[in-house]
Amino acid sequence: MLWLLLPVLLLVYLLYRAQRPRVRPWAGVWLWQRGRRRRFRPRLDLRLLLLLLAAALMVLALEDPPLGPSPMVFVVDASASMAAREGAKTRLDLAKERLLPLLERTPEAVLVRAGERPQAHGPAPGIALRGRLLELEAKDRQARLEEAVALGRRLLKAPVVVVSDAPPPPGVEGYLGVGTPRENLGLVAVAHGFLALGNSASRTLTARVALGGKVEEVPVPPRGFARLENLPPTFTARLLDGGALDLDDEAGFGLRRLGVDYPPLPALKRLFRLLGAVLGDEVRVRIGVPEGAPERPSLYLAPSGGSPTPILLTTPHPLLEGVALLGERLPPPPPPPAPWRPLAEGEGGVGLIYLTEGGLYLPPLAAIQDRPFFPLLVYNFLKSHREVRSGLLSPGETLLPTPGPSFLPKGQGGGGRFLALLAALVLLLEALLFRPRPKAQGA
């Protein structure tokens, strides 16, 4: 509505000028000469000034500006890409510089660090959270912005401002985008004998990787990935020319001996000795029906089973890599509760093998201990827990997100009524000062 300010003031001025008394010709040369000396002296027209002031206040009242700073929730991206260099500073440094003035003048605020696990500080006066903002570090493999926004809204019902190098999540009232397109190479994935690299640039870059005492050169396509294969089972790799982000320049892969807690049964002793496991408590093996989601990696063996039935359907899963199950006849174990779900099913959809996050549930040991798939299935289950990976290993962070346009929340209002009242008082003052005088009656 501010575009109305100039037209309204001009209209008030023209209407006021149109109501001025007509200039009458003077009766004599002496009066004309005397008036000529005074006609160009500027005079303050108080009535016009009051009318213009009242009109300006009414136009500003239509904007309904806030009476003062409002409470705010600030969400700061703490993922690794915010540590990318932008000249002499990092993206997080730029974010702190832009956010600090807003935070310090906020009467009540919540500051949320958006990482793999969002962390909140407040509610508190913004100035009290200044130290929390300055000590933030960017190192997480991802920023869960939507979870961080939800956490901030639970703590304080106020507009949310997100500061990030990624596009803003939907529904936020404010956003400060930091960062510019930068060239970066990084190590994004490692596995047994395998290494992958990512390139954030819009052109092909050649990565120089120090690996096992040698330097490998790999061309990486723009905004894409490349790989190195046939590597040793255990290796450490280092990029010699990583680019804007240092956190993804080193990575490694290895295997360790896993500690397994299992019942002292001969079949299980042979199995875990074959798989290179030792006694420990990292993985638990139990005979029984699982009661829910396991607290740690667990392998369950059913205490009993029904009549053997052939496996007709399997769910695609890494646990079945190299495992041939179709056609095997297995006794159905007692079904476990949610969140367990069938990995292999028999006739009528009956579950024969179940899995959940960190858990595997098999038929009775006596029915499977001599089957060829049993050691391979257990090996695949233990495999992910034996593997040790180091490094950032986050493709999204290596490719360095590009921020969107910034915007700030509109004021919460409340000042419109105050300005309208002030405009009415100015008009009342004008009416009192310049009320028409009664005409004198003739004798």
Side-chain angles (χ1 to χ4, degrees):
M1 291 294 182
L2 291 179
W3 63 271
L4 287 174
L5 186 60
L6 185 59
V8 168
L9 294 181
L10 181 60
L11 179 62
V12 171
Y13 177 80
L14 294 176
L15 290 176
Y16 179 79
R17 283 306 198 187
Q19 297 298 321
R20 287 193 313 167
R22 291 185 178 181
V23 179
R24 298 180 179 181
W26 291 330
V29 175
W30 178 79
L31 293 175
W32 177 80
Q33 290 177 343
R34 186 177 179 182
R36 187 180 181 185
R37 289 194 296 268
R38 300 179 58 187
R39 65 186 298 184
F40 296 108
R41 293 180 184 177
R43 295 181 59 188
L44 177 64
D45 194 333
L46 181 59
R47 186 178 189 184
L48 175 61
L49 181 62
L50 292 175
L51 292 174
L52 292 176
L53 177 59
L57 290 173
M58 289 302 298
V59 172
L60 294 176
L62 295 176
E63 281 288 310
D64 195 21
L67 291 174
S70 61
M72 206 78 68
V73 175
F74 299 103
V75 176
V76 183
D77 187 337
S79 62
S81 63
M82 292 290 284
R85 291 185 296 276
E86 297 280 343
K89 301 180 179 179
T90 66
R91 292 182 173 184
L92 185 60
D93 293 335
L94 299 178
K96 293 177 180 179
E97 290 179 359
R98 297 184 63 181
L99 186 58
L100 193 57
L102 295 176
L103 179 66
E104 289 181 335
R105 66 171 180 259
T106 302
E108 186 179 20
V110 167
L111 179 66
V112 184
R113 180 188 184 275
E116 295 178 80
R117 293 184 178 180
Q119 299 175 342
H121 306 284
I127 191 66
L129 299 175
R130 184 178 186 274
R132 295 289 188 179
L133 174 63
L134 296 178
E135 69 186 15
L136 289 181
E137 296 182 356
K139 57 184 179 181
D140 290 23
R141 293 183 179 180
Q142 61 176 322
R144 300 183 182 272
L145 292 177
E146 294 188 7
E147 293 183 17
V149 169
L151 174 60
R153 290 192 193 278
R154 287 198 300 270
L155 296 175
L156 182 63
K157 304 299 182 183
V160 176
V161 176
V162 173
V163 189
S164 174
D165 58 354
V172 298
E173 291 80 9
Y175 169 73
L176 296 177
V178 292
T180 57
R182 312 290 291 181
E183 292 189 350
N184 182 59
L185 287 168
L187 306 176
V188 298
V190 292
H192 190 277
F194 173 85
L195 170 68
L197 304 103
N199 174 17
S200 73
S202 57
R203 63 188 181 96
T204 299
L205 297 179
T206 300
R208 299 177 64 244
V209 185
L211 187 66
K214 300 186 300 181
V215 176
E216 301 279 353
E217 293 191 354
V218 185
V220 188
R223 302 296 296 179
F225 304 94
R227 60 186 179 182
L228 281 171
E229 296 181 309
N230 301 319
L231 303 181
T234 299
F235 63 86
T236 300
R238 181 169 57 89
L239 268 175
L240 302 180
D241 48 358
L245 183 62
D246 296 333
L247 296 177
D248 58 2
D249 288 351
E250 294 188 10
F253 179 84
L255 297 173
R256 63 188 175 93
R257 299 189 63 156
L258 199 62
V260 182
D261 177 17
Y262 58 88
L265 299 175
L268 294 180
K269 287 183 179 180
R270 291 194 304 268
L271 173 65
F272 292 113
R273 189 179 297 117
L274 173 67
L275 298 179
V278 296
L279 289 175
D281 58 358
E282 296 174 84
V283 176
R284 182 177 58 179
V285 180
R286 292 291 182 265
I287 296 178
V289 181
E291 298 180 354
E295 297 180 357
R296 54 178 169 169
S298 300
L299 172 65
Y300 291 91
L301 296 165
S304 61
S307 300
T309 183
I311 295 177
L312 302 180
L313 178 66
T314 59
T315 301
H317 195 275
L319 284 175
L320 299 182
E321 182 181 354
V323 180
L325 285 178
L326 293 178
E328 291 280 355
R329 297 180 62 87
L330 299 177
W340 292 83
R341 61 189 187 277
L343 178 65
E345 300 178 58
E347 294 180 357
V350 61
L352 300 175
I353 298 176
Y354 294 86
L355 82 158
T356 189
E357 183 69 28
L360 180 64
Y361 178 40
L362 300 175
L365 178 62
I368 60 174
Q369 62 183 1
D370 296 326
R371 303 290 183 92
F373 69 84
F374 179 52
L376 186 55
L377 191 59
V378 176
Y379 170 81
N380 288 342
F381 176 69
L382 299 180
K383 179 181 176 181
S384 60
H385 305 292
R386 294 181 61 219
E387 296 174 347
V388 179
R389 293 173 172 83
S390 62
L392 179 62
L393 304 178
S394 177
E397 300 303 305
T398 290
L399 293 186
L400 298 183
T402 302
S406 300
F407 57 91
L408 288 175
K410 295 183 178 180
Q412 300 247 332
R417 296 180 181 180
F418 174 77
L419 293 175
L421 177 62
L422 188 58
L425 293 177
V426 172
L427 289 176
L428 179 61
L429 178 62
E430 184 272 339
L432 293 175
L433 293 177
F434 300 97
R435 58 184 175 182
R437 296 178 181 178
K439 295 182 179 180
Q441 298 181 356

